[in-house]
């Protein structure tokens, strides 16, 4: 069984490595840098078998060219109609791909960017910059309505499904989550756990849907109390099901 491990990049990115130990093969998700991937491969005496891209942003793609130079002919999976031009095999919603012993299905999740996709086999989901622990990606290209629709697809996952997102933003996200829900004891408890992990230099990830359904304001946006502490200048209506989501996202942008 392949295992998933974090490779640290930049200040707070994780490049997720999917590694098959007997085959000595690795796939990486969103290599914004090549150097830490090359070091990881050397450390594990492994070769790079391919790359998965969730969206076009530079901190998810800037390492691709150098990695393809080092391992010519490898597959680079990524979204159709992406602004990143290094994708060899474009993917659309519902496509499936075989990565070592994982079969991954593609979810289209526009919102953070229009091209964003997630990769899932139901036991795990690589969510890129769509879903973070206790948070979600900023709306750089899509609308709150699009992101809300993208999030609806996450309801298919069991509580045990693991979430591998690209950024270690959990502490800052939890501070916001606590402002949205001051009485949520699960958020308080998770702040303590994440603080202990980070003090030891360990990641707060992967997380899982069971936990996120208890602490993540964007998975809880439709609960009636979620806008009770909204700053007065951020008005919202209940006309559409995504209005709470939009209001909470706008609040996070200025938090
Ligand atoms: Zn991004």
């Amino acid at each position: 069984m392949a295992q998933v491990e974090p490779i640290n990049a930049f200040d707070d990115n994780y490049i997720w490595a999917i590694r098959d130990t007997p085959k000595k093969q690795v796939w990486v998700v969103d290599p914004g840098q090549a150097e830490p991937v090359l070091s990881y491969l050397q450390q594990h005496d492994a070769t790079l078998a391919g790359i998965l891209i969730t969206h076009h942003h530079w901190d998810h793609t800037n390492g691709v060219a150098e990695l393809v130079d080092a391992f010519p002919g490898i597959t680079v999976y990524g979204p159709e109609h992406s602004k990143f031009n290094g994708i060899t095999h474009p993917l659309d919603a519902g496509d499936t791909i075989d990565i070592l012993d994982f079969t991954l299905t593609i979810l289209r999740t526009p919102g953070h960017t229009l091209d964003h996709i997630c990769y899932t086999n139901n036991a795990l989901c690589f969510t890129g910059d769509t879903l973070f622990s206790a948070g979600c990606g900023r709306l750089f290209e899509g609308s709150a309505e699009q992101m809300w629709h993208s999030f609806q697809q996450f309801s298919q996952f069991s509580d045990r499904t693991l979430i591998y997102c690209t950024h270690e933003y959990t502490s800052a996200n939890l501070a916001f989550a606590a402002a949205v829900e001051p009485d949520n004891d699960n958020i308080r408890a998770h702040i303590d756990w994440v603080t202990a992990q980070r003090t030891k230099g360990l990641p707060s990830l992967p997380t899982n849907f069971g936990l996120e359904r208890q602490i993540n304001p964007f998975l809880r946006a439709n609960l009636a109390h979620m806008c009770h502490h909204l700053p007065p200048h951020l008005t919202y209506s209940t006309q559409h099901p995504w209005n709470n989501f939009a209001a909470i996202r706008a609040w996070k942008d200025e938090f």
Side-chain angles (χ1 to χ4, degrees):
M1 184 77 174
Q3 52 189 314
V4 183
E5 296 174 322
I7 302 171
N8 290 303
F10 304 112
D11 288 336
D12 51 22
N13 283 51
Y14 296 119
I15 299 166
W16 293 106
I18 309 168
R19 181 161 63 93
D20 185 308
T21 307
K23 287 185 187 162
K24 297 189 172 186
Q25 287 190 345
V26 170
W27 284 71
V28 289
V29 184
D30 287 349
Q33 287 180 301
E35 187 277 324
V37 175
L38 295 170
S39 301
Y40 175 91
L41 294 169
Q42 195 169 34
Q43 183 192 336
H44 294 284
D45 188 26
T47 57
L48 189 65
I51 296 171
L52 307 179
I53 297 295
T54 62
H55 67 294
H56 67 81
H57 280 157
W58 66 272
D59 62 317
H60 298 246
T61 55
N62 267 14
V64 171
E66 191 178 335
L67 292 172
V68 172
D69 278 349
F71 298 93
I74 59 170
T75 295
V76 183
Y77 285 118
E80 274 188 346
H81 311 302
S82 180
K83 292 178 185 169
F84 174 59
N85 62 13
I87 293 164
T88 63
H89 291 66
L91 299 168
D92 198 5
D95 287 348
T96 60
I97 56 174
D98 290 321
I99 301 299
L100 303 173
D101 55 4
F102 291 165
T103 298
L104 299 174
T105 302
I106 308 311
L107 302 179
R108 282 203 69 233
T109 54
H112 174 69
T113 62
L114 292 178
D115 67 341
H116 203 297
I117 60 175
C118 298
Y119 298 84
T120 181
N121 66 359
N122 286 321
L124 57 80
C125 189
F126 294 103
T127 60
D129 285 358
T130 293
L131 176 67
F132 298 129
S133 183
C136 78
R138 280 179 186 268
L139 302 174
F140 285 119
E141 295 177 4
S143 64
E145 179 184 350
Q146 279 175 311
M147 190 67 130
W148 182 84
H149 280 294
S150 294
F151 265 56
Q152 298 314 296
Q153 300 172 81
F154 297 141
S155 63
Q156 71 181 277
F157 293 119
S158 81
D159 284 350
R160 292 192 306 278
T161 301
L162 297 172
I163 299 165
Y164 293 89
C165 55
T166 305
H167 290 281
E168 181 59 66
Y169 290 162
T170 314
S171 287
N173 287 342
L174 283 167
F176 175 70
V180 176
E181 290 187 279
D183 299 326
N184 184 325
D185 292 338
N186 295 314
I187 292 172
R188 298 271 160 222
H190 200 53
I191 287 171
D192 291 343
W193 183 82
V194 170
T195 303
Q197 285 288 105
R198 301 304 295 147
T199 302
K200 289 183 267 186
L202 296 173
S204 68
L205 303 167
T207 181
N208 62 70
F209 279 96
L211 176 63
E212 294 303 316
R213 285 170 183 141
Q214 295 178 325
I215 66 167
N216 191 315
F218 299 97
L219 287 173
R220 298 167 62 76
N222 286 357
L223 298 176
H225 67 276
M226 292 299 285
C227 286
H228 284 181
H229 300 280
L230 197 70
H233 66 279
L234 292 175
T235 56
Y236 71 106
S237 76
T238 53
Q239 190 183 356
H240 301 295
W242 54 85
N243 285 128
N244 269 17
F245 187 99
I248 295 167
R249 184 60 254 179
W251 183 5
K252 177 67 164 66
D253 286 345
E254 63 175 47
F255 186 76

